[in-house]
Amino acid sequence: MTRTISTKSELRQARAELTGTVGVVMTMGALHEGHAYLLRQAREECDHVVATVFVNPLQFNDPKDYEAYQRTPDADVALCEAEGVDLVFMPSEEEMYPDGPPMIGITPGALGEVLEGAFRPGHFEGMLLVVHNLLLLTSADRAYFGQKDAQQLLLVQRMVSDLEIDTEIVPVPIVREDDGLARSSRNARLSEAEHEAALVLSRAMRVAVANASLGAKTVREEAAAVIASRPEVHVDYLALVNPATLAEVEDDHTGPALLAVAATVGTTRLIDNAPLTLG
Ligand code: AMP
């Protein structure tokens, strides 16, 4: 039985009544197969699953993006029911931030200044704050995060370590549509033509993985060429980085790396990434 809860006090109480291990999946709603996959993994590994659905205004650097963000609460609850979620926490903005935007914040540091951090000022501060608060409210043993948001995952891992939060962060691989596009709540905003153009992002990731043995320079060039074949796709960054530090790797680098891309198609901003082993 899935129970939907909208206040923090009810959540704390319902959580206290759960015995055994608890896994949490934090989302901004408009749930899709990517979220369902996280919920399934949590279901397999934990005695109970808590899903949170909250479009966190603090992490939107662009107010238009916040307004345009899809909200589908009924469908979200239905998906959570189908996935055997115990508790769905769906608070209002006032419930989460009764005194307005919090005064005390969490600073992501250097890992939050590159890639997404460079293009979305304030995004990671807002994300870390809400993840921190939801971790405390749910007292989860495990929290499941998608590798689709690779930098977010890294920052959350670092936050629980630096702030002594006793929750295991579990990374979950990227779930894609049949044509390769990384699943995202924002995909619903793409026209058919934009969706078609956006496929160069996942294609570039595949080409990069296939060329990884040829080295960093080739990977960068090949991936950039695939994306440049669709001028409708406006790249914010295409970066080949050290997966632990997010610093750009040198051309002669060998070993693990992460190729990460962010681009706008029409008015929709998309991200994708692929882990690979260079050299
Ligand atoms: P969001 O609702 O977009 O904030 O995402 C909530 C969680 O689902 C985050 O941990 C995301 O990384 C994860 N997620 C979203 N889309 C995907 C996807 N296509 N594959 C894997 N995880 C995803």
Side-chain angles (χ1 to χ4, degrees):
M1 248 273 290
T2 304
R3 190 171 153 206
T4 303
I5 281 173
S6 59
T7 67
K8 294 189 234 178
S9 61
E10 282 174 296
L11 174 62
R12 283 191 199 272
Q13 199 182 335
R15 164 62 182 97
E17 286 163 12
L18 297 176
T19 50
T21 55
V22 170
V24 66
V25 174
M26 298 176 191
T27 80
M28 297 204 300
L31 300 185
H32 51 67
E33 193 52 36
H35 300 111
Y37 191 69
L38 269 71
L39 292 169
R40 256 170 249 154
Q41 190 160 333
R43 178 79 276 170
E44 274 170 29
E45 297 175 1
C46 307
D47 296 319
H48 299 285
V49 179
V50 179
T52 69
V53 176
F54 178 59
V55 186
N56 176 31
L58 300 184
Q59 71 190 67
F60 283 81
N61 50 307
D62 175 1
K64 282 202 218 93
D65 187 29
Y66 176 67
E67 312 248 290
Y69 206 85
Q70 271 222 322
R71 285 152 173 97
T72 60
D74 296 341
D76 294 346
V77 171
L79 186 142
C80 288
E81 277 169 354
E83 296 300 337
V85 169
D86 296 79
L87 301 177
V88 184
F89 180 52
M90 263 187 184
S92 65
E93 197 180 320
E94 295 68 37
E95 178 66 19
M96 281 307 277
Y97 306 120
D99 304 318
M103 280 192 193
I104 307 300
I106 299 173
T107 309
L111 284 179
E113 280 162 18
V114 294
L115 307 178
E116 287 298 282
F119 285 88
R120 302 186 66 190
H123 167 65
F124 286 129
E125 282 87 343
M127 179 280 291
L128 288 172
L129 194 282
V130 80
V131 168
H132 169 271
N133 289 6
L134 291 170
L135 285 174
L136 294 196
L137 286 164
T138 57
S139 289
D141 299 283
R142 300 196 186 96
Y144 293 78
F145 284 88
Q147 279 167 344
K148 159 130 189 297
D149 300 276
Q151 191 174 12
Q152 164 174 291
L153 170 62
L154 191 63
L155 284 165
V156 170
Q157 284 170 324
R158 189 67 201 216
M159 175 178 71
V160 299
S161 163
D162 286 355
L163 302 189
E164 304 291 357
I165 299 171
D166 193 16
T167 302
E168 182 192 345
I169 304 302
V170 184
V172 180
I174 300 180
V175 177
R176 298 179 178 281
E177 300 192 13
D178 289 343
D179 57 18
L181 186 67
R183 287 194 186 265
S184 163
S185 305
R186 291 187 168 87
N187 291 355
R189 287 193 223 158
L190 297 169
S191 70
E192 222 170 289
E194 288 168 347
H195 185 123
E196 170 68 26
L199 293 179
V200 291
L201 300 176
S202 51
R203 201 171 299 143
M205 298 302 111
R206 286 199 301 276
V207 166
V209 171
N211 284 304
S213 63
L214 302 176
K217 190 163 178 287
T218 308
V219 163
R220 279 197 185 96
E221 286 168 1
E222 296 285 327
V226 171
I227 297 172
S229 71
R230 295 304 295 249
E232 314 93 294
V233 177
H234 301 280
V235 175
D236 275 351
Y237 61 81
L238 174 67
L240 186 60
V241 298
N242 178 315
T245 63
L246 302 183
E248 284 278 354
V249 299
E250 303 289 336
D251 281 349
D252 60 358
H253 178 84
T254 56
L258 180 78
L259 184 67
V261 66
T264 303
V265 188
T267 56
T268 308
R269 191 167 180 281
L270 301 170
I271 56 172
D272 202 344
N273 69 77
L276 38 86
T277 306
L278 293 168

Short mmCIF file of all heavy atoms in Angstrom, two decimals, residues 156-165:
data_model
loop_
_atom_site.label_atom_id
_atom_site.label_comp_id
_atom_site.label_asym_id
_atom_site.label_seq_id
_atom_site.Cartn_x
_atom_site.Cartn_y
_atom_site.Cartn_z
N VAL A 156 26.79 14.83 -4.09
CA VAL A 156 26.03 14.23 -2.99
C VAL A 156 26.91 13.23 -2.25
O VAL A 156 26.91 13.19 -1.01
CB VAL A 156 24.73 13.57 -3.52
CG1 VAL A 156 24.06 12.74 -2.44
CG2 VAL A 156 23.77 14.63 -4.04
N GLN A 157 27.70 12.45 -2.99
CA GLN A 157 28.62 11.51 -2.34
C GLN A 157 29.59 12.26 -1.43
O GLN A 157 29.88 11.86 -0.31
CB GLN A 157 29.40 10.70 -3.39
CG GLN A 157 28.55 9.61 -4.03
CD GLN A 157 29.22 8.97 -5.23
OE1 GLN A 157 29.91 9.63 -6.00
NE2 GLN A 157 28.98 7.68 -5.42
N ARG A 158 30.08 13.37 -1.94
CA ARG A 158 31.04 14.18 -1.18
C ARG A 158 30.37 14.82 0.05
O ARG A 158 30.95 14.90 1.12
CB ARG A 158 31.59 15.25 -2.13
CG ARG A 158 32.73 16.03 -1.60
CD ARG A 158 33.94 15.16 -1.45
NE ARG A 158 34.83 15.79 -0.49
CZ ARG A 158 36.15 15.78 -0.56
NH1 ARG A 158 36.75 15.13 -1.52
NH2 ARG A 158 36.86 16.39 0.35
N MET A 159 29.12 15.26 -0.14
CA MET A 159 28.39 15.89 0.98
C MET A 159 28.18 14.90 2.13
O MET A 159 28.43 15.24 3.29
CB MET A 159 27.04 16.44 0.52
CG MET A 159 26.22 17.01 1.67
SD MET A 159 24.65 17.71 1.18
CE MET A 159 23.72 16.26 0.74
N VAL A 160 27.72 13.67 1.81
CA VAL A 160 27.46 12.73 2.92
C VAL A 160 28.77 12.38 3.62
O VAL A 160 28.79 12.16 4.83
CB VAL A 160 26.70 11.45 2.49
CG1 VAL A 160 25.34 11.78 1.92
CG2 VAL A 160 27.49 10.62 1.52
N SER A 161 29.86 12.36 2.86
CA SER A 161 31.15 12.06 3.48
C SER A 161 31.61 13.24 4.33
O SER A 161 31.96 13.09 5.50
CB SER A 161 32.14 11.74 2.35
OG SER A 161 33.44 11.82 2.82
N ASP A 162 31.59 14.44 3.77
CA ASP A 162 32.10 15.61 4.49
C ASP A 162 31.24 15.99 5.70
O ASP A 162 31.74 16.51 6.69
CB ASP A 162 32.17 16.83 3.55
CG ASP A 162 33.34 16.73 2.57
OD1 ASP A 162 34.13 15.77 2.68
OD2 ASP A 162 33.45 17.60 1.68
N LEU A 163 29.91 15.76 5.59
CA LEU A 163 29.01 16.20 6.67
C LEU A 163 28.57 15.05 7.57
O LEU A 163 27.62 15.20 8.35
CB LEU A 163 27.78 16.91 6.08
CG LEU A 163 28.03 18.14 5.20
CD1 LEU A 163 26.72 18.85 4.88
CD2 LEU A 163 28.99 19.12 5.85
N GLU A 164 29.26 13.90 7.46
CA GLU A 164 28.98 12.76 8.37
C GLU A 164 27.52 12.33 8.33
O GLU A 164 26.90 12.08 9.36
CB GLU A 164 29.38 13.11 9.82
CG GLU A 164 30.82 13.55 10.01
CD GLU A 164 31.83 12.43 9.80
OE1 GLU A 164 31.43 11.28 9.56
OE2 GLU A 164 33.04 12.74 9.84
N ILE A 165 26.96 12.26 7.13
CA ILE A 165 25.57 11.77 7.01
C ILE A 165 25.63 10.27 6.77
O ILE A 165 26.33 9.80 5.86
CB ILE A 165 24.84 12.49 5.86
CG1 ILE A 165 24.78 13.99 6.15
CG2 ILE A 165 23.43 11.91 5.67
CD1 ILE A 165 24.26 14.82 4.99
#
